Amino acid sequence: RYILDGTGEGGEDEYAIKDYAIIAYYLEEYVKVTFQKTQDKMDWKKICELQVRNNPSDHDLVKFYHERNPCKCLEKLYKEGEKALKEKEGKKEEEQSLVKNDNNPPNK
C-alpha cells in the first residue's frame, strides 16, 4: 500500500512521498530478514540513504518507485531523470578535464 500511495497520484506532499519510500524499504528489509531469511541483517545504510535528512533527489525517489511499481506511469519520469543524470555526469567529467588541463599546462 505504501508503495502505491507514495507515487504522488493522491496529491501527497514531498515529505510524505519520501516517508512512504523509507517505510516501504524498511518493510522490504524486514521481510527479507524475518520471513524469507534471505539475508542476516537489515541493510540500514540503504534505509538511511532515503532518510529525509539526506534529502534524496526527485530522481532517486522516482527510481525507487519505478523499480517497485508494475505500472508504466513512472516510465517517462524515470527516463527523463536518467537522461539528466547522464548529462550532468558528462558535464562534471568535462569540468574535471578542464581543471586538470589548467593545472598541467603543455610544455613548450
Side-chain angles (χ1 to χ4, degrees):
R1 172 153 168 75
Y2 287 110
I3 294 172
L4 297 177
D5 284 350
T7 60
E9 294 173 9
E12 290 90 350
D13 67 4
E14 175 182 351
Y15 294 109
I17 293 170
K18 292 176 186 178
D19 290 345
Y20 288 152
I22 293 166
I23 293 167
Y25 198 81
Y26 172 84
L27 291 173
E28 287 176 2
E29 289 292 300
Y30 183 80
V31 167
K32 289 176 189 176
V33 171
T34 307
F35 301 113
Q36 296 174 341
K37 310 264 189 225
T38 56
Q39 60 192 47
D40 295 332
K41 57 185 178 177
M42 305 270 281
D43 189 347
W44 289 106
K45 182 180 179 195
K46 285 191 176 184
I47 293 169
C48 290
E49 286 174 357
L50 289 173
Q51 292 284 342
V52 173
R53 73 173 186 271
N54 289 334
N55 200 18
S57 69
D58 289 344
H59 177 65
D60 290 336
L61 291 170
V62 169
K63 181 178 178 182
F64 178 85
Y65 289 113
H66 178 260
E67 291 172 352
R68 289 158 177 82
N69 190 340
C71 86
K72 299 294 180 189
C73 59
L74 296 173
E75 190 72 30
K76 182 179 177 186
L77 283 175
Y78 177 76
K79 286 182 180 180
E80 287 173 0
E82 286 293 304
K83 182 180 176 184
L85 190 61
K86 286 179 184 176
E87 289 174 359
K88 184 177 179 181
E89 288 173 356
K91 287 180 183 178
K92 190 175 188 179
E93 288 175 7
E94 185 179 315
E95 288 173 3
Q96 288 174 346
S97 175
L98 290 173
V99 168
K100 189 183 227 184
N101 290 339
D102 287 345
N103 291 334
N104 298 320
N107 293 334
K108 291 185 180 181

